[in-house]
């Protein structure tokens, strides 16, 4: 049975609303591919960038279990094993297989997974069965016209979709999946990338909509201007605070996101010891395709 929101708030660093908890997490970079084309996403394999979508290497599910062993030995305060990329966790089978293996050896560790939500309806029962405690879904808009400005297209059931059609499919699947998973007792956190020129006035609507679908906590992430949205500005503290305040009318808002790498390990904001636990040599620079 998935852990409750109250249990997560006490032991998961991303669920401590208002203040950090002195707990750690280990991110397992087992998911290489993605099925949507976000205009701000620049996924890379390197040991340089400190942001989502980046890892020093990709590991197998079996290697991920060994990483967890090493991580909890190095940092007993680690309470969470998560998969947050560097690609989408449901675009390939490796994340769910990783959690199946972790569940056997570490039954008490919090299992946390992030996804863009495109394949949530297809895999919602697998997520429930494998014992995911917290699921993060990135929802950047619930208006297809706005979503189409953020995401160029999707690959869904073997077909490429673009523009409004892609946005409508993605939003529908995200909201239906959030409802199904949350109804089953899995705590859902929603991430939204705040893009001042595109969705700043829309985030309040996203917060209300995902809360109605069953999400329990909301994380508004400032845009890192890059890739096709390098012309956009990074939101300043004033705008970020205003948008968080509007969203907080509808849902608990998480305020201390560290924008972690997909292979982060340790207590957020503290020492990261990922270099001590990963098996393969670091690759300095290589860019993923979005395939």
């Amino acid at each position: 049975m998935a852990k409750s929101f109250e249990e997560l708030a006490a032991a998961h660093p991303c669920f401590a609303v208002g203040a950090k908890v002195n707990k750690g997490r280990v991110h397992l970079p087992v998911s290489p591919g993605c099925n949507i084309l976000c205009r701000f996403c620049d996924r890379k394999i390197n040991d340089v960038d400190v942001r989502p979508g980046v890892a020093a290497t990709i590991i197998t599910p079996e290697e991920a279990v060994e990483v967890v062993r090493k991580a909890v030995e190095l940092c007993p305060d680690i309470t969470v094993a998560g998969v947050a990329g560097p690609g989408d966790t449901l675009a390939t089978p490796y994340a769910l297989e990783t959690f199946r293996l972790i569940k056997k050896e570490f039954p008490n560790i919090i299992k946390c997974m992030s996804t863009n939500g495109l394949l949530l309806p297809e895999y919602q029962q697998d997520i429930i069965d494998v014992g995911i405690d917290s699921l993060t879904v990135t929802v950047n808009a619930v208006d297809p016209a706005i979503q189409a400005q953020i995401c160029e297209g999707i690959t869904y059931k073997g077909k490429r979709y673009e523009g409004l059609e892609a946005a409508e499919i993605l939003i529908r699947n995200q909201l239906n999946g959030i409802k199904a998973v949350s109804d089953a007792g899995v705590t859902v956190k929603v991430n939204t990338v705040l893009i001042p020129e595109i969705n700043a006035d829309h985030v309040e609507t996203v917060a209300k909509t995902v809360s109605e679908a069953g999400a329990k906590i909301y994380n508004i992430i400032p845009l890192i201007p890059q890739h096709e949205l390098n012309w956009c500005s990074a939101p300043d503290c004033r705008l970020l605070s205003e948008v968080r305040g509007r969203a907080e009318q509808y849902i608990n808002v998480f305020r201390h996101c560290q924008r972690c790498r997909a292979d982060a390990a340790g207590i957020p904001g503290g020492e990261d010891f990922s270099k001590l636990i990963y098996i393969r040599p670091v690759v300095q620079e290589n860019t993923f395709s979005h395939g």
Side-chain angles (χ1 to χ4, degrees):
M1 185 175 183
K3 291 176 174 59
S4 68
F5 177 77
E6 290 72 24
E7 291 174 300
L8 293 173
H12 191 314
C14 295
F15 283 80
V17 178
K20 290 173 63 176
V21 294
N22 194 35
K23 300 296 182 183
R25 79 292 185 239
V26 55
H27 285 174
L28 306 166
V30 299
S31 300
C34 197
N35 46 19
I36 73 173
L37 292 165
C38 294
R39 298 183 191 274
F40 56 76
C41 182
D42 187 18
R43 288 180 292 130
K44 290 186 176 181
I45 292 290
N46 68 42
D47 196 38
V48 179
D49 296 323
V50 181
R51 59 176 174 81
V54 178
T57 188
I58 302 295
I59 61 175
T60 68
E62 292 76 17
E63 288 171 333
V65 176
E66 178 60 26
V67 165
V68 177
R69 291 190 196 113
K70 291 180 179 179
V72 297
E73 182 178 342
L74 282 168
C75 181
D77 287 320
I78 283 181
T79 55
V80 180
V83 180
D88 185 69
T89 52
L90 297 178
T92 54
Y94 309 120
L96 289 171
E97 179 57 26
T98 296
F99 286 119
R100 291 186 186 99
L101 295 175
I102 288 173
K103 183 178 181 180
K104 293 177 183 177
E105 186 165 342
F106 302 94
N108 295 320
I109 202 165
I110 294 169
K111 293 174 287 299
C112 180
M113 188 171 83
S114 298
T115 178
N116 59 43
L118 177 62
L119 296 180
L120 258 185
E122 183 174 342
Y123 288 105
Q124 62 194 36
Q125 194 58 49
D126 297 87
I127 290 167
I128 295 162
D129 292 344
V130 83
I132 298 299
D133 297 293
S134 66
L135 181 74
T136 295
V137 186
T138 298
V139 182
N140 294 318
V142 292
D143 179 337
I146 296 174
Q147 177 63 35
Q149 298 177 62
I150 300 170
C151 180
E152 177 183 343
I154 65 174
T155 300
Y156 183 57
K157 296 186 177 181
K159 184 178 177 181
R160 171 74 178 266
Y161 297 87
E162 297 181 349
L164 288 176
E165 187 177 19
E168 289 166 355
I169 294 169
L170 179 59
I171 293 166
R172 181 177 65 245
N173 287 6
Q174 288 172 332
L175 296 178
N176 288 343
I178 288 170
K179 185 176 190 318
V181 171
S182 60
D183 283 351
V186 178
T187 297
V188 176
K189 174 168 74 74
V190 167
N191 285 351
T192 294
V193 177
L194 174 57
I195 309 168
E197 290 83 357
I198 297 176
N199 68 352
D201 294 330
H202 181 60
V203 171
E204 182 179 347
T205 301
V206 177
K208 182 175 186 292
T209 303
V210 299
S211 177
E212 290 171 348
K216 296 295 186 190
I217 191 167
Y218 194 48
N219 181 23
I220 301 169
I221 305 173
L223 173 74
I224 300 173
Q226 60 182 6
H227 199 47
E228 294 182 19
L229 293 188
N230 59 7
W231 58 272
C232 292
S233 58
D236 60 23
C237 292
R238 178 195 57 79
L239 177 61
L240 185 59
S241 179
E242 287 178 1
V243 172
R244 284 172 170 168
R246 294 199 297 267
E248 213 157 24
Q249 299 175 76
Y250 306 102
I251 191 170
N252 289 318
V253 174
F254 170 59
R255 293 175 178 269
H256 47 271
C257 177
Q258 299 292 311
R259 296 195 292 203
C260 299
R261 285 168 56 100
D263 58 1
I267 297 171
E271 180 184 0
D272 185 285
F273 53 83
S274 58
K275 292 179 184 178
L276 300 178
I277 60 176
Y278 286 102
I279 297 165
R280 295 174 183 165
V282 166
V283 177
Q284 285 300 320
E285 186 78 15
N286 183 33
T287 304
F288 275 111
S289 74
H290 283 76

